[in-house]
Amino acid sequence: MGQWIIDNAWIIPALPLFSFILVGLFLRPLNEKLAAGVATTSIGLAWVASLLLAFHYFGAEAKPTIIAWSVEWLKFQEGMTVNFGVLIDPIAAMMLVVVTTVSFLVHFYSLSYMHGDSGYGRFFTYLNLFTFSMLGLVVAPNLFQTYFFWELVGVSSFLLISFYYEKPAAVAASKKAFIVTRFADLGFFIGILVLGYFGYQISSQVQTGHQPLDFAFLTHPDVLKAFAALHTTGGTSLLSVAMILVFMGAAGKSAMFPLHIWLPDAMEGPTPVSALIHAATMVVAGVYLVARLFPVFATVPVTLEIIAAIGLFTSAFAAIIACTQDDIKRVLAFSTLSQLGYMMFSLGLATMEEPLGYTAAMFHLFTHAFFKALLFLGAGSIIHAVHSNDVWEMGGLKKKMPVTHITFAIAVLAIAGIWPFAGFFSKDEILATALHGGHTVHFVGGLLVAGCTAFYMARIYFLSFWGKARTDKASHAHESSWVMLLPLCFLAVLAMTTGFVPFTELVKIGPLAHEGIDMSVAIPGTLAAVIGLSLSAWMYSGSFTTSEKVAGGLGQFYVAIKNKFYVDEFYQFITHKVIFRFIAQPIAWFDRNVVDGGVNLTGTVMRGWSSAMTRFQTGQLQTYLLWFLAGTVAVSVLLWKFLGI
Amino acid sequence: MLFQIIILSLFLFSLGLYGLLTRRSSVGLFIAVELMLNSGIINFIAFNRYLAPTQVDGQVMGIFAMALAAAEVLVGMAILVMLFRLRKNVDVVGMNTLKH
C-alpha cells in the first residue's frame, strides 16, 4: 500500500482537481450541500493518501528524491523539454501533509462557518482549486511547473480574497494582492528565463540526464560550478542576479518587506481562507521555493545574506506593528509576516556545510502551519460569535466559549514558544542556527521578535477572552457548533505534539552539527516569551491604564506604528502621485487623442468619401449607361493615345 | 465594299446607342439593343467574307449570336410582361428601385 501510493502520488493533487471540476461545474448548481460534502470528502481522501505516503516515505531508512510520475509537457527543442510530474523528497512529503491536513480541517470547519452564505458552493469550489494548485506547486519537479502552479495559487487567492465581491474593501484587497504578487512574479519569471537560457547552454557541456529547468539539474554540483563561472558584462555573478530575481518572486508570495502590503489587506477574505491560504500554505510557498533551490542560493552566499537581512527586518517590522493593531485578523496577519520572516532568515543563515537553518526553517514552517491555522480558525470562531473583528468589541469570552478559549490559549502558547508546545522546538532550532553560526544580530533580533510575538499574541488573547464583555454582542456570544470546534481541537493536539516530531532526522540537506535542545538557546528563548506574555498579562488582563500610558509615552512613534509605518501611504503616493500622474496620465492622453484620433480620422475620411460616391448611384439605367459610354470612350482614347493600339 | 458595310454597321450601332440613351419605353430599349447586336453580327460576317473567304467561323458566330439574342429577348420580354402587370407601365425612368 505504501509503495503503491508513492508510485501513484499523482492522485494526491488529482483528487482536488477532479472534485473541483465535478463540484464547480455539475454539483454546485444542483445542490450546494452535496457540493460542499463532495469537496470536503475529496480533500479528506487526499489527506489520507498524503499521510500514507509520508509514513511510508519517512519510515524508510533512505529518503531519496523520487520522480514518482512524469509526462512530457512542452518540448521547446531538443534538450529543452519541460515535464509535468510529481517529485517526492522530504520537504515535498512534509508539505503534502501540511497542505492536505490544514486544507481538510479548513474545509470541514467551513461546512459550518460558511453555512447560510449565498456563495456556499462557490466557496468550496475555490477551496478545491486552491488545494489542487498548492499540491501541484509542492510536488513540481521543475521551475516551469512551479511557476505554473505559483500563478494558479495566486489566482485562487485572488478569487477567495474577493469572495465577498459586493464589499468594495474586499475587491480592493484582492486587486492589491494580485498586483503586488504579479509584480513580484515578474522578477521570478525573468529569473526563470535567465536560469533556463544559461541552463540550456550548460546542459550541452555537463551531462546530468536532466532537463535544464529541472530542480535535479539546477542543484547538480557540476551545473552549479558551471553557473558560478558565468558573469554579466558588469562583472557581477550571473547566478546571483538570477537568484535575486527568483527571490523577488518568493518575497512577493511570502509577503517579505517591502512587498508585504498585500497580506494584511487579504484578511478581507473569509476567515477559513485566511487560515488556509494566508497563514498556513500559500504564503509559505516563497519559503518553500527558497528551500527547494537552497543549493543554488548557497552557491552565491550574497543572496543568502540578503534573504537573512530581509527576513529579520520583516520579522521585526511586522512584530512591532502587530502589537498595536485592533483587528484580530490583522494582528494574526502581521504575526504571519513576522513568522515568515523568521523562516526566511533561518534559511538565509544556513549554509551547505551547516544546514541547520534549512531544517529549522522547514520545521518552523511545519509547526507554524498548524498553530497559525488554529489561531485563525479560533479567531473565526470568535468573529462568528461576536460579529466583529475588533478586539475592543470582544472581551469576557472565556466562560461563553470554553473550547475556543482553551484551543486559542494553546495556540498562543505554541506561537510564543513555551515548552512543550510546538513553536518552542522550531523557534529553538532557528535561534540555535543564529547563535551557532555566530550571527549575533540575528540571534538578538530573533529573541526580541520572540518576545514581541508572545506580547501581541497574549494581548489579543487577553483582550478577547478575559475581562468584561465590552459590547452587547460580546456579552451574548455563544460557543460555535461542534463542526467548527472539532478542527480546533484537532489542531490544538497538533500544536501540542508536532514539536516532538524528530524533524532534524527526517528533513535535512546535509549532516547537522547541532541537534536537540540546547540550554543556551532554550533559556533565553523561553525567557523572552515569558517576559512578553507576562508584560501583556499585566497590561491587558485587567484595566488598560498601563497600556494607554505606554501608548501615550511613545507619542508620535506609537502613531507611526499604528499606521503600519505609513508603508501603504508611501505606496499610495508612488502609485497615485508619481506613476499615475507622470506615466499613466500622459499615456492615457496619447491613447485618447493620438491613437483614437487616428482611428476616428480614418472613419471620417471614409465616410465623406463614400457619401460623395453615393451621388452617382441614381438608379437611372440610362445615366449608368452614359457613364459606361464615357468610360469606354475614355479608355479607348487612352489606349489609342498612349499605347497606339 | 467592306468599307461601306462597316459604315452601315457603324450607323446601325450608333442608332442603337442613341435609342438606348433616349427612349423611355423598355420595349424601345430592347429594339435599340437588337440594332446594336445586329451591327455586331454584320461586322462578323463582313470580316469573314472579305478577310478570310475560305473559312466560315464568322458566319457561324453570327448564327450563334442571333440564336442567343432570340433567347435573351425571350427572357427579357417575359420579365417586361411581368413588370407591366405589376406597374401598369414599362417606363424605364420609373424603374429605379434597385438604388436603395
Side-chain angles (χ1 to χ4, degrees):
Chain A
M1 189 66 194
Q3 191 53 46
W4 182 86
I5 194 75
I6 287 183
D7 293 338
N8 294 284
W10 59 271
I11 61 167
I12 296 173
L15 273 166
L17 173 65
F18 290 139
S19 85
F20 160 66
I21 294 167
L22 183 69
V23 168
L25 292 180
F26 305 109
L27 297 181
R28 193 170 66 83
L30 289 177
N31 184 340
E32 302 231 313
K33 282 243 166 63
L34 179 68
V38 169
T40 311
T41 313
S42 78
I43 304 295
L45 290 174
W47 181 44
V48 172
S50 302
L51 285 179
L52 274 174
L53 185 146
F55 277 123
H56 189 75
Y57 185 80
F58 287 121
E61 193 57 44
K63 297 171 189 65
T65 302
I66 307 165
I67 301 287
W69 177 75
S70 183
V71 289
E72 189 178 296
W73 182 20
L74 297 165
K75 186 162 189 170
F76 294 112
Q77 55 182 314
E78 206 57 52
M80 185 72 190
T81 310
V82 172
N83 293 322
F84 199 86
V86 171
L87 176 146
I88 304 291
D89 70 348
I91 55 172
M94 182 272 289
M95 279 295 279
L96 281 179
V97 173
V98 169
V99 173
T100 50
T101 307
V102 178
S103 180
F104 174 68
L105 293 172
V106 164
H107 271 76
F108 193 79
Y109 178 90
S110 307
L111 287 174
S112 166
Y113 185 85
M114 297 303 288
H115 184 75
D117 194 281
S118 58
Y120 195 64
R122 185 162 59 91
F123 183 77
F124 283 92
T125 311
Y126 290 165
L127 276 190
N128 267 204
L129 174 65
F130 169 75
T131 310
F132 158 66
S133 319
M134 192 65 211
L135 292 172
L137 169 65
V138 165
V139 298
N142 58 54
L143 263 181
F144 202 90
Q145 189 183 334
T146 304
Y147 188 73
F148 180 82
F149 283 104
W150 188 269
E151 293 305 326
L152 261 180
V153 289
V155 169
S156 327
S157 158
F158 170 79
L159 290 171
L160 283 164
I161 295 170
S162 61
F163 181 74
Y164 299 122
Y165 53 78
E166 304 92 350
K167 258 169 69 184
V171 174
S174 70
K175 276 197 289 193
K176 190 172 178 182
F178 200 69
I179 291 168
V180 173
T181 49
R182 272 303 310 159
F183 173 71
D185 295 348
L186 183 68
F188 184 21
F189 188 64
I190 297 171
I192 293 176
L193 291 182
V194 173
L195 287 177
Y197 181 79
F198 292 99
Y200 176 68
Q201 292 184 349
I202 289 169
S203 70
S204 58
Q205 303 151 14
V206 183
Q207 294 304 316
T208 56
H210 299 290
Q211 297 300 327
L213 282 175
D214 285 356
F215 291 124
F217 176 87
L218 290 171
T219 55
H220 195 280
D222 296 344
V223 173
L224 288 175
K225 218 172 282 168
F227 253 125
L230 291 172
H231 290 279
T232 61
T233 46
T236 47
S237 158
L238 188 91
L239 195 57
S240 69
V241 175
M243 292 328 281
I244 286 171
L245 285 168
V246 169
F247 176 66
M248 181 177 160
K253 204 55 114 196
S254 285
M256 288 293 112
F257 182 86
L259 297 169
H260 66 282
I261 49 162
W262 66 271
L263 189 59
D265 286 23
M267 296 301 129
E268 289 294 340
T271 311
V273 170
S274 310
L276 175 59
I277 301 183
H278 306 118
T281 56
M282 188 190 82
V283 288
V284 299
V287 179
Y288 182 75
L289 180 71
V290 175
R292 171 67 71 227
L293 287 171
F294 184 73
V296 192
F297 280 106
T299 313
V300 272
V302 63
T303 55
L304 284 181
E305 281 168 25
I306 293 173
I307 292 173
I310 291 182
L312 182 64
F313 182 77
T314 308
S315 182
F317 175 83
I320 292 168
I321 295 176
C323 294
T324 61
Q325 298 299 304
D326 295 331
D327 184 327
I328 186 167
K329 283 181 74 182
R330 271 176 201 259
V331 174
L332 293 177
F334 279 107
S335 143
T336 306
L337 281 176
S338 172
Q339 300 302 310
L340 288 170
Y342 236 82
M343 297 173 208
M344 277 290 187
F345 91 64
S346 174
L347 272 175
L349 296 182
T351 56
M352 283 309 270
E353 291 75 39
E354 178 48 56
L356 179 62
Y358 173 90
T359 303
M362 289 297 108
F363 194 16
H364 198 54
L365 190 161
F366 180 69
T367 56
H368 172 258
F370 298 123
F371 59 67
K372 187 48 73 62
L374 173 55
L375 284 168
F376 265 109
L377 294 185
S381 176
I382 299 170
I383 293 167
H384 203 66
V386 183
H387 300 286
S388 169
N389 283 6
D390 194 336
V391 281
W392 295 103
E393 294 178 15
M394 298 167 186
L397 298 174
K398 196 168 56 169
K399 289 272 159 51
K400 300 184 191 81
M401 308 177 77
V403 180
T404 309
H405 168 240
I406 288 169
T407 52
F408 201 88
I410 289 169
V412 168
L413 291 175
I415 195 171
I418 302 291
W419 194 88
F421 299 100
F424 168 77
F425 296 90
S426 51
K427 215 171 261 188
D428 185 71
E429 298 278 340
I430 293 179
L431 291 173
T433 307
L435 187 67
H436 296 308
H439 305 278
T440 323
V441 177
H442 288 85
F443 181 66
V444 175
L447 279 180
L448 290 177
V449 170
C452 230
T453 308
F455 175 77
Y456 64 71
M457 288 317 298
R459 173 177 173 262
I460 59 168
Y461 164 75
F462 284 122
L463 283 180
S464 48
F465 289 104
W466 289 59
K468 289 199 191 82
R470 285 182 289 274
T471 56
D472 280 352
K473 277 176 186 163
S475 54
H476 295 117
H478 289 287
E479 183 62 293
S480 307
S481 71
W482 65 270
V483 178
M484 281 164 73
L485 296 179
L486 215 56
L488 288 182
C489 298
F490 193 85
L491 282 168
V493 171
L494 288 179
M496 283 191 285
T497 53
T498 43
F500 294 103
V501 172
F503 210 82
T504 45
E505 283 160 31
L506 299 179
V507 179
K508 57 184 165 189
I509 203 163
L512 299 174
H514 298 278
E515 278 185 55
I517 306 299
D518 182 347
M519 281 305 151
S520 61
V521 178
I523 291 169
T526 312
L527 209 60
V530 170
I531 291 172
L533 288 174
S534 34
L535 202 64
S536 189
W538 176 53
M539 281 167 74
Y540 293 103
S541 60
S543 66
F544 307 117
T545 46
T546 330
S547 70
E548 276 156 19
K549 234 179 267 171
V550 171
L554 285 169
Q556 274 313 109
F557 191 59
Y558 178 79
V559 179
I561 298 173
K562 186 99 178 166
N563 288 304
K564 305 163 214 159
F565 291 109
Y566 301 105
V567 176
D568 279 307
E569 282 73 11
F570 177 72
Y571 271 96
Q572 194 82 2
F573 175 78
I574 292 288
T575 51
H576 282 70
K577 294 278 154 61
V578 179
I579 296 179
F580 284 5
R581 187 168 297 171
F582 294 107
I583 299 173
Q585 282 183 2
I587 290 175
W589 181 89
F590 184 83
D591 182 53
R592 245 174 246 133
N593 292 291
V594 179
V595 177
D596 291 2
V599 173
N600 288 343
L601 185 71
T602 318
T604 315
V605 168
M606 287 314 287
R607 192 174 285 222
W609 181 241
S610 81
S611 75
M613 291 299 283
T614 47
R615 300 260 174 81
F616 290 97
Q617 193 185 356
T618 56
Q620 290 302 321
L621 189 62
Q622 282 158 326
T623 320
Y624 293 164
L625 198 65
L626 203 61
W627 281 113
F628 168 64
L629 187 67
T632 313
V633 170
V635 169
S636 306
V637 167
L638 284 174
L639 286 175
W640 175 57
K641 249 321 208 204
F642 293 106
L643 295 174
I645 299 169
Chain B
M1 202 48 197
L2 179 63
F3 181 72
Q4 284 89 333
I5 293 174
I6 289 173
I7 292 295
L8 171 69
S9 147
L10 185 64
F11 174 69
L12 274 177
F13 188 86
S14 305
L15 195 65
L17 190 60
Y18 175 74
L20 206 55
L21 288 172
T22 52
R23 301 297 296 191
R24 296 190 63 170
S25 156
S26 306
V27 181
L29 294 188
F30 252 112
I31 293 167
V33 167
E34 289 309 312
L35 281 176
M36 292 167 80
L37 257 174
N38 279 326
S39 89
I41 294 171
I42 286 173
N43 268 6
F44 266 124
I45 292 165
F47 284 123
N48 182 221
R49 173 72 182 77
Y50 290 100
L51 299 183
T54 55
Q55 289 167 334
V56 291
D57 301 27
Q59 299 184 25
V60 170
M61 191 55 83
I63 289 169
F64 265 114
M66 276 156 71
L68 282 174
E72 172 231 310
V73 165
L74 197 74
V75 176
M77 288 308 283
I79 295 172
L80 272 186
V81 169
M82 297 309 289
L83 264 176
F84 181 74
R85 283 192 189 157
L86 203 66
R87 307 169 63 106
K88 299 297 171 211
N89 70 54
V90 287
D91 189 345
V92 79
V93 177
M95 295 181 197
N96 61 355
T97 47
L98 272 183
K99 176 186 169 185
H100 306 295

